[in-house]
């Protein structure tokens, strides 16, 4: 095993997961959005909700398919590139992935069929049940995947056997690790925000062309409601998660904040250039004492710096520091977008009359994905040099393969993903640009019966309101 | 060409009887699960 194969394997995993995470983070939120739309249509019979449902379900089906395809690649890579990790840890976290397939994926896959092909066949009530079950399935899927990842961040409920492999001693402790509740909540809220930004951006795009479009007006207001409620909640949950990180992964927190010295009254670095070579920041723009207050809730609190940890146990600092700032900066922008939108609804007749707001919503529409990827960089690069914190180092987890083999597969992934996902994403963007269209009458009603020869009203015109057919 | 994604029944359109709707619900769910099973076991067989 040489270093190049390790680095290439890490790059390959990072590349494939960065693609994959886009789709589940969208479909988790979109499935719930579809359930809300269908529920609202059933209770109010407002046709706009049905039109929106039929529009977004197409995008959901495409995104779900691409999420499944890109997710299968992830599990294969655990065997091909990370076989030592699989051999060591699969007795503990293998069942979590298996339960994800058995409980979540099958639930989603089963009722997606009803959702797509069965509305007339099963009727509105059972169809709504199917949509709700798919939405529940996406949440259960996130539950198991975040449980596995949280265990890798802070492993509990296991023992190490003489041969170096791990065994679970307490299954529920493996599932419900200390950081799991905050991390699951953080991920789900991120998914809901990502979807709200997409829905809001797509609606804003159409409202710029037609400010009276009824479906887009409703969808944009629903998205603004989500920004206004979920974005501040996300900030709160993220803060709780950060405080857990300080307790269980202090080196990661020190990298997030570019703290090098252990001290009280840590400053908050708004921007900095952390450099591991000099064990410090080459330059920094800081606010005194705010770092201790944000991380520990007390401006006088002592917070550990990176120099408290041996150099071989420190994560890369600059990438974690900047990824965190991108994530938080976008989160603050989402809060601003929500507050601005609520103000426009409340005081100035609606956001659809304000092109500047609509353009801002369009600009923000991909930022949920950027924030999710930045968040995963913080979580995964911040855990380095460990693949399982304190148990297995990343360099020891890689398969005994050569750099040439990994280079070939990485190149193949890049080419195939560039083609397959470009086509998929372009098609989704085209659908979004077309926008929701009210369902034509011929699609919702049975076809007209042919008139028999000699029928008395054979020459009468068709009357969709119930006249002769 | 009929829509691939089935829209809801129209307001005047009569619904099939309950037993038929339940049968479609279970049938579609089982068929979708079956399709997933075939793909999953097919992929696993490729590994052996």
């Amino acid at each position: 095993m040489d270093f190049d194969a390790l680095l290439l394997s890490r790059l390959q995993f990072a590349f494939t997961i960065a693609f994959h995470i886009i789709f589940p983070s969208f479909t988790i939120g979109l499935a719930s959005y579809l359930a809300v739309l269908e529920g609202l249509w059933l209770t109010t019979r407002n046709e706009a909700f049905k039109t929106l449902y039929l529009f977004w379900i197409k995008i959901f089906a495409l995104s779900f398919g691409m999420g499944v395809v890109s997710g299968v690649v992830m599990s294969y890579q655990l065997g091909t590139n990370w076989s030592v990790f699989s051999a060591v840890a699969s007795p503990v976290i293998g069942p979590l992935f298996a339960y994800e397939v058995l409980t979540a994926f099958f639930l989603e896959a089963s009722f997606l069929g009803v959702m797509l092909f069965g509305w007339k066949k099963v009727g509105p009530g059972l169809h709504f049940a199917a949509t709700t079950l798919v939405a529940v399935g996406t949440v259960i899927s996130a539950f198991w995947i975040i449980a596995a990842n949280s265990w890798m961040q802070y492993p509990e409920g296991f023992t190490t056997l003489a041969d170096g492999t791990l065994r679970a001693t307490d299954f529920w402790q493996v599932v419900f690790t200390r950081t799991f509740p905050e991390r699951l909540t953080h991920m789900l809220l991120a998914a809901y925000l990502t979807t709200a930004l997409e829905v809001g951006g797509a609606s804003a795009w159409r409202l710029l062309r037609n400010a009276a479009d009824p479906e887009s007006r409703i969808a944009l207001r629903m998205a603004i409601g989500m920004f206004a409620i979920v974005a501040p909640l996300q900030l709160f949950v993220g803060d709780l998660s950060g405080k857990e990180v300080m307790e269980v992964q202090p080196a990661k927190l020190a990298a997030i904040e570019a703290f090098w010295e252990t001290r009280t009254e840590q400053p908050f670095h708004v921007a900095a250039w952390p450099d591991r070579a000099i064990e410090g920041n080459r330059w920094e723009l800081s606010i005194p004492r705010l770092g201790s207050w944000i991380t520990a809730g007390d401006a006088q609190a002592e917070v550990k710096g990176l120099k408290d940890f041996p150099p071989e146990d420190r994560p890369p600092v600059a990438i974690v520091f900047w990824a965190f700032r991108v994530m938080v900066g976008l989160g603050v922008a989402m809060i601003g977008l929500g507050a601005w939108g609520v103000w426009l609804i409340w005081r100035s007749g609606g956001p659809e009359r304000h092109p500047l707001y609509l353009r801002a919503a369009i600009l923000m529409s991909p930022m949920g994905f950027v924030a999710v990827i930045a968040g995963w960089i913080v979580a995964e690069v911040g855990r380095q040099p460990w693949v399982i914190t304190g148990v297995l180092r990343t360099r020891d987890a890689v398969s005994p393969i050569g750099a040439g083999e990994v280079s070939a597969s990485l190149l193949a992934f890049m080419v195939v993903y560039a083609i397959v996902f470009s086509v998929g994403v372009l098609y989704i963007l085209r659908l979004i640009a077309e926008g929701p269209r009210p369902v034509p009458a011929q699609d919702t009603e049975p076809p007209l019966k042919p008139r028999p020869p000699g029928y008395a009203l054979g020459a009468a015109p068709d009357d969709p309101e119930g006249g002769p057919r | 060409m009929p829509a691939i994604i089935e829209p809801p029944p129209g307001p005047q359109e009569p619904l099939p009887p309950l037993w038929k709707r339940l049968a479609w619900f279970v049938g579609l769910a089982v068929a979708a699960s079956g399709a997933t099973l075939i793909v999953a076991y097919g992929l696993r067989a490729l590994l052996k």
Side-chain angles (χ1 to χ4, degrees), chain A residues 173-222:
Chain A
Q173 208 178 357
V174 169
V175 176
F176 293 100
T177 49
R178 187 169 157 181
T179 61
F180 170 70
E182 290 92 346
R183 299 186 78 244
L184 176 64
T185 312
H186 200 47
M187 182 65 227
L188 290 176
L189 293 180
Y192 294 142
L193 270 174
T194 300
T195 304
L197 286 164
E198 277 308 298
V199 171
S203 309
W205 171 267
R206 288 187 298 277
L207 286 168
L208 269 178
R209 281 143 189 82
N210 175 15
D213 183 36
E215 287 85 13
S216 300
R217 284 165 65 113
I218 290 174
L220 181 60
R221 282 158 198 259
M222 289 175 83

Side-chain angles (χ1 to χ4, degrees), chain B residues 6-37:
Chain B
E6 196 171 75
Q12 308 300 326
E13 201 172 334
L15 286 174
L18 181 62
W19 70 266
K20 214 170 191 176
R21 280 183 276 149
L22 282 170
W24 268 114
F25 187 74
V26 174
L28 279 171
V30 170
S33 282
T36 312
L37 266 176

Side-chain angles (χ1 to χ4, degrees), chain A residues 223-235:
Chain A
I224 288 171
M226 286 295 285
F227 306 151
I229 295 166
V230 178
L233 190 61
Q234 179 71 313
L235 190 71

Side-chain angles (χ1 to χ4, degrees), chain A residues 72-327:
Chain A
V72 169
V73 169
M74 308 301 305
S75 50
Y76 271 82
Q77 269 185 99
L78 292 180
T80 55
N81 294 48
W82 303 99
S83 58
V84 178
F85 165 74
S86 298
V88 168
S90 59
V92 178
I93 61 167
L96 307 188
F97 292 129
Y99 284 127
E100 195 262 338
V101 173
L102 288 173
T103 61
F105 184 64
F106 269 91
L107 191 67
E108 296 168 81
S110 303
F111 293 102
L112 185 68
V114 180
M115 244 177 117
L116 297 177
F117 309 121
W119 212 337
K120 283 183 183 171
K121 295 177 186 72
V122 304
L126 286 171
H127 188 268
F128 178 56
T131 306
T132 308
L133 284 169
V134 170
V136 170
T138 60
V139 173
I140 296 174
S141 178
F143 174 94
W144 291 115
I145 297 302
I146 298 294
N149 188 268
S150 298
W151 183 84
M152 289 164 66
Q153 302 286 341
Y154 186 66
E156 292 179 283
F158 72 100
T159 189
T160 307
L161 301 187
D163 63 358
T165 62
L166 310 179
R167 293 290 184 278
T169 53
D170 183 338
F171 176 74
W172 292 112
Q173 208 178 357
V174 169
V175 176
F176 293 100
T177 49
R178 187 169 157 181
T179 61
F180 170 70
E182 290 92 346
R183 299 186 78 244
L184 176 64
T185 312
H186 200 47
M187 182 65 227
L188 290 176
L189 293 180
Y192 294 142
L193 270 174
T194 300
T195 304
L197 286 164
E198 277 308 298
V199 171
S203 309
W205 171 267
R206 288 187 298 277
L207 286 168
L208 269 178
R209 281 143 189 82
N210 175 15
D213 183 36
E215 287 85 13
S216 300
R217 284 165 65 113
I218 290 174
L220 181 60
R221 282 158 198 259
M222 289 175 83
I224 288 171
M226 286 295 285
F227 306 151
I229 295 166
V230 178
L233 190 61
Q234 179 71 313
L235 190 71
F236 173 71
V237 174
D239 181 60
L240 287 180
S241 188
K243 287 188 167 60
E244 281 288 0
V245 168
M246 189 179 73
E247 297 290 328
V248 301
Q249 292 175 290
K252 182 198 270 187
L253 182 92
I256 286 171
E257 299 296 351
F259 294 156
W260 293 92
E261 308 289 343
T262 298
R263 53 172 282 197
T264 59
E265 301 184 355
Q266 288 275 19
F268 175 70
H269 304 310
V270 179
W273 181 6
D275 189 342
R276 285 205 286 186
I278 62 164
E279 295 192 316
N281 300 329
R282 287 195 177 273
W283 57 264
E284 55 194 36
L285 176 66
S286 308
I287 302 171
R289 292 191 292 279
L290 190 61
S292 282
W293 185 76
I294 287 175
T295 53
D298 178 2
Q300 307 296 323
E302 182 180 274
V303 183
K304 278 190 176 179
L306 285 158
K307 286 184 182 174
D308 251 25
F309 305 92
E312 68 273 17
D313 288 350
R314 297 176 195 164
V317 187
I319 186 169
V320 177
F321 176 86
W322 280 109
F324 182 78
R325 271 143 191 80
V326 167
M327 178 184 72

